[in-house]
Amino acid sequence: MGSHFECVPSVRLFNEYGPTEGTVWCAAAELRPEMNTIPIGRPPAGAALDICDIDGNRLPDGVEGELVLRGQGVAQGYLNRPEATASGFLEDPQRRYRTGDLGKVDQDGNIHFLGRLDSQVKVRGHRVELEDIESAARSCGAVEAGAGVSEGNLVLAIEGDSDAVRLKLPRYLPAAFFPLTVVSVQELPRLPNGKLCLLYTSDAADEEDSV
């Protein structure tokens, strides 16, 4: 953002947010040089973006929760995918879409994107579920697997034979989901609660050469 205002200070800069299920543009914020953080702003006329709890109830400003979209641009659902439609869309009575994104509203009324509630990431324009990559790796013989993103690329660290897993993965994953790097580690890093620590999984993969 800083380089933009240095090069073309007279040109206004906007940050836009929106999933495909909400006709892409669901919120926007005009950015200014003095901003310390980059908000996604506020929804345009005809749209609303609420911060909700796990049950879809709206939360007070300042409280972190799921971004839930409502308004004229919300899609009807997924074609021939009733289960996905039922889990992603709410009917009560207005149709709403659960984005799976985490956010909050600041004291100025601007919405901030804080990350994902699940393991979904976006790589080169494709939505990728990291759990799908990990499951595919286990199907290929990995004892355990941890997928992550580093510098815009998918990486995979496994407990097991990385060469064998790398050869079999194309049977289970489309090309867009194939990790750039597959490495073998003695033991995958875990958090105190036993869950895999994806941050350090990505760091471990960075130490190896890409394939």
Side-chain angles (χ1 to χ4, degrees):
M1 184 172 72
S3 59
H4 169 86
F5 289 109
E6 289 177 3
C7 296
V8 282
S10 62
V11 177
R12 301 168 70 187
L13 180 64
F14 291 83
N15 183 35
E16 295 185 357
Y17 164 87
T20 304
E21 293 84 349
T23 325
V24 183
W25 180 40
C26 304
E30 182 171 5
L31 306 184
R32 300 184 301 274
E34 65 273 15
M35 285 183 168
N36 295 320
T37 59
I38 299 178
I40 59 175
R42 305 182 185 192
L49 197 57
D50 301 322
I51 310 297
C52 298
D53 62 18
I54 192 172
D55 296 317
N57 301 312
R58 187 173 180 178
L59 295 169
D61 291 354
V63 178
E64 296 181 7
E66 182 178 12
L67 294 173
V68 177
L69 176 67
R70 54 188 171 90
Q72 299 173 356
V74 177
Q76 294 299 306
Y78 301 108
L79 182 63
N80 299 326
R81 297 177 61 195
E83 292 183 359
T85 297
S87 65
F89 293 83
L90 301 171
E91 298 278 2
D92 53 3
Q94 184 180 26
R95 175 173 291 271
R96 297 188 293 164
Y97 172 65
R98 307 186 67 160
T99 67
D101 293 334
L102 183 67
K104 71 175 183 179
V105 180
D106 64 21
Q107 60 185 6
D108 296 321
N110 285 309
I111 301 171
H112 292 257
F113 172 79
L114 303 177
R116 288 288 300 175
L117 292 169
D118 53 21
S119 63
Q120 186 185 94
V121 296
K122 198 165 187 178
V123 178
R124 293 185 292 277
H126 297 276
R127 293 183 184 179
V128 179
E129 295 285 354
L130 297 179
E131 291 178 354
D132 290 346
I133 298 176
E134 295 166 356
S135 176
R138 288 190 287 269
S139 297
C140 294
V143 176
E144 186 54 276
V149 177
S150 177
E151 297 183 354
N153 295 307
L154 290 167
V155 297
L156 175 66
I158 67 165
E159 296 174 7
D161 187 340
S162 60
D163 290 334
V165 170
R166 187 183 296 115
L167 288 174
K168 296 177 181 178
L169 271 179
R171 305 177 191 173
Y172 297 86
L173 295 174
F177 289 17
F178 199 87
L180 178 68
T181 302
V182 182
V183 298
S184 177
V185 296
Q186 185 173 358
E187 184 177 1
L188 287 167
R190 284 175 168 78
L191 299 170
N193 61 9
K195 293 183 178 181
L196 292 176
C197 182
L198 296 183
L199 173 63
Y200 292 106
T201 295
S202 300
D203 289 344
D206 284 342
E207 297 174 0
E208 301 290 335
D209 293 330
S210 61
V211 296

